[in-house]
Amino acid sequence: MIALDPSKIFDHAVEVLKENDQGGYTIPTKGLYPFQWNWDSCLTALGQSHFDEQRAWTEIETLFDHQWPDGMVPHIVFHVYSDGYFPGPNVWGTGRPVATSGITQPPVAGFAVRRLYERARDRQMAEKRAKALLPKIDAWHRWFYSHRDPRGEGLVAILHPWESGRDNSVDWDQAFERVPTDGVEPYTRRDTQHADPAHRPTKEQYDRYIWLVQHFRGLNWDNAKLHDASPFQVVDPGFNAILIRSCADLADLAESLGEARLAAENRARAEAGLAAMNALWSGTHGQYLCKDRVTGALIDSASIGGILPVFAAVPEDHARSIALTVERQAAAAKFIVPSHDPADPRFEAKRYWRGPAWLVTNYMIADGLRRVGETAVADRIVQSSLELISQSGFAEYYDPLTGEPCGGHRFTWTAAMVLEFLRLMKS
Ligand code: DGY
């Protein structure tokens, strides 16, 4: 049962978005994340569009102002100085005019911009701003397929767990063993000063995260070299599905804006990606699995990364199996969708992406399920999300067994997703 009045939840969500707004970009939360994060910002813009349309476009434009010349859009833009976050600009050493990290994040921009454009009240403004963003998003998509799919398999690899957005997922455990920790420069973690260490990745994982950053920095962040030089290359179905959905959405947007070439190129990327995704399907798990590109083997880990593909136009029988998988998980967890299958002994209810429920993934999964007519499961996900807010406030993520708030508090993208859910309930 939702105890809070929906109009109060709406106002509260707007308050969270406004208090984290830095003018042209929004920080995910105070303390833990003091800069602009890539996919946080694109999803935040959707929330902002419900009360300030202009501001929503600015959020994404600011991110793309820091796109690299090769097309990559970095996962963090360090707009201001803060020593409250590690690893900061000196560790990344990317040499950009405004400091950025050197890796990327799930490309939700194509999806988000299409949504902003379609719901725009000021049509002229939206057309102008969508037209300006279109080639930039296209360049990012092109970058993915040339630098992260160098052998033209149709699917891209992530080279660092942070790129997936699901930093410490069980998915990476095995491949991560190949990442050494020798030579890691001494460091002090900041995240564990802002959030409960039991909710965060381990020290051993941090050593490996930093080894990869130092390794890529040693290659001068040359994207022509990073893929083959990385001991960690994983094809994440969730990440690819987001890219595929963004390509398809960008293609539709380009078509409406009369950009036929961009439309055709993005359509072709989405189609090739969807065809290649079939090889990641696991009938046993009723979901997709990651693939370790170094060994060529599928990774036996039933995480939310394999449920997220329903966000793209995957075959209908796969989408239906995913709906059943979510239903099965709902019998084990009070709140859905857990980021790892509770039936797996590696599930950890409070540790970041090893079990907790997140509203951003809930949003994308519910959207995909609704598209294939699985409205009952989609509604259940929305209901569960709003119950979490009502019970535990706007946390970064939640223990799916108890609903306890975990990680950071007064979290921007959680608030943004709530505005989206409330809007969905009205429509
Ligand atoms: C962090 O610092 O926790 C991030 O997820 C890396 O982007």
Side-chain angles (χ1 to χ4, degrees):
M1 273 301 291
I2 301 168
L4 268 181
D5 169 356
S7 71
K8 290 219 174 75
I9 300 184
F10 188 96
D11 292 348
H12 197 160
V14 172
E15 194 183 293
V16 172
L17 286 182
K18 286 190 173 164
E19 78 188 25
N20 290 331
D21 187 353
Q22 307 298 299
Y25 68 95
T26 312
I27 56 171
T29 187
K30 295 212 173 82
L32 187 59
Y33 296 121
F35 313 108
Q36 182 175 27
W37 260 259
N38 183 326
W39 71 324
D40 291 69
S41 262
C42 296
L43 295 169
T44 295
L46 294 175
Q48 290 169 327
S49 72
H50 298 294
F51 61 94
D52 188 345
E53 210 174 334
Q54 300 268 359
R55 180 64 190 79
W57 286 93
T58 305
E59 186 73 25
I60 301 180
E61 288 161 354
T62 304
L63 177 69
F64 276 85
D65 285 347
H66 301 278
Q67 184 168 27
W68 284 21
D70 67 2
M72 188 192 73
V73 184
H75 99 296
I76 308 175
V77 183
F78 298 101
H79 291 281
V80 289
Y81 172 79
S82 167
D83 64 1
Y85 178 80
F86 174 83
N90 294 343
V91 181
W92 290 97
T94 55
R96 301 291 307 144
V98 170
T100 72
S101 70
I103 56 172
T104 194
Q105 246 183 350
V108 283
F111 157 74
V113 166
R114 179 189 175 175
R115 270 217 166 158
L116 288 189
Y117 177 76
E118 282 180 352
R119 66 171 59 148
R121 294 174 290 277
D122 185 343
R123 302 294 318 160
Q124 235 183 341
M125 181 270 294
E127 188 166 328
K128 194 163 149 247
R129 296 175 91 161
K131 266 198 166 144
L133 279 168
L134 198 65
K136 298 181 184 182
I137 302 174
D138 173 65
W140 191 19
H141 291 174
R142 186 170 326 113
W143 175 86
F144 269 117
Y145 290 103
S146 42
H147 292 292
R148 296 309 181 78
D149 180 21
R151 284 173 274 290
E153 294 171 20
L155 297 172
V156 303
I158 54 158
L159 306 184
H160 193 298
W162 285 343
E163 293 200 303
S164 68
R166 301 185 294 111
D167 303 10
N168 66 340
S169 169
V170 173
D171 292 350
W172 327 130
D173 289 0
Q174 235 180 337
F176 224 23
E177 300 265 310
R178 275 195 303 271
V179 177
T181 54
D182 51 300
V184 170
E185 292 150 13
Y187 64 90
T188 306
R189 280 177 70 171
R190 298 299 182 148
D191 59 315
T192 44
Q193 295 165 355
H194 300 291
D196 184 341
H199 299 177
R200 295 284 306 171
T202 62
K203 150 119 180 72
E204 197 194 332
Q205 284 162 339
Y206 254 79
D207 285 350
R208 294 193 156 109
Y209 296 150
I210 300 308
W211 189 91
L212 283 173
V213 171
Q214 289 180 197
H215 181 57
F216 299 150
R217 189 183 69 201
L219 296 168
N220 293 321
W221 297 106
D222 179 351
N223 273 304
K225 296 186 182 144
L226 299 195
H227 181 279
D228 288 356
S230 179
F232 181 89
Q233 302 166 17
V234 177
V235 177
D236 170 8
F239 191 100
N240 276 278
I242 289 172
L243 178 57
I244 290 166
R245 173 74 184 264
S246 273
C247 285
D249 282 353
L250 201 73
D252 288 350
L253 181 64
E255 227 153 66
S256 350
L257 294 171
E259 298 283 354
R261 186 184 56 80
L262 289 193
E265 284 174 7
N266 280 282
R267 188 91 53 221
R269 289 172 187 140
E271 277 164 15
L274 280 171
M277 282 279 282
N278 287 329
L280 306 183
W281 178 254
S282 161
T284 316
H285 289 291
Q287 63 165 90
Y288 292 84
L289 295 177
C290 288
K291 181 176 140 182
D292 186 333
R293 190 172 267 170
V294 174
T295 63
L298 286 184
I299 299 170
D300 188 13
S301 166
S303 80
I304 203 162
I307 288 175
L308 264 173
V310 78
F311 187 52
V314 293
E316 227 167 276
D317 56 326
H318 290 175
R320 297 213 185 286
S321 296
I322 286 176
L324 290 175
T325 301
V326 173
E327 275 177 355
R328 177 177 56 74
Q329 294 189 354
K334 186 167 173 211
F335 300 97
I336 48 175
V337 180
S339 48
H340 198 80
D341 187 345
D344 185 331
R346 296 168 293 184
F347 167 86
E348 289 181 72
K350 296 187 204 317
R351 205 182 277 281
Y352 212 30
W353 287 96
R354 297 177 81 87
W358 294 69
L359 261 59
V360 282
T361 38
N362 276 5
Y363 174 70
M364 290 184 266
I365 294 165
D367 176 275
L369 288 172
R370 191 163 279 119
R371 283 209 318 174
V372 290
E374 292 285 353
T375 45
V377 194
D379 288 349
R380 197 155 168 195
I381 294 172
V382 174
Q383 179 75 10
S384 195
S385 305
L386 293 174
E387 279 172 14
L388 283 169
I389 297 300
S390 179
Q391 176 180 319
S392 300
F394 295 84
E396 187 179 3
Y397 44 95
Y398 305 85
D399 178 330
L401 307 180
T402 63
E404 183 191 322
C406 299
H409 301 289
R410 299 188 71 74
F411 220 84
T412 297
W413 72 1
T414 304
M417 295 302 94
V418 167
L419 295 178
E420 286 287 281
F421 286 137
L422 291 174
R423 182 181 178 276
L424 272 176
M425 282 171 77
K426 267 171 86 181
S427 62

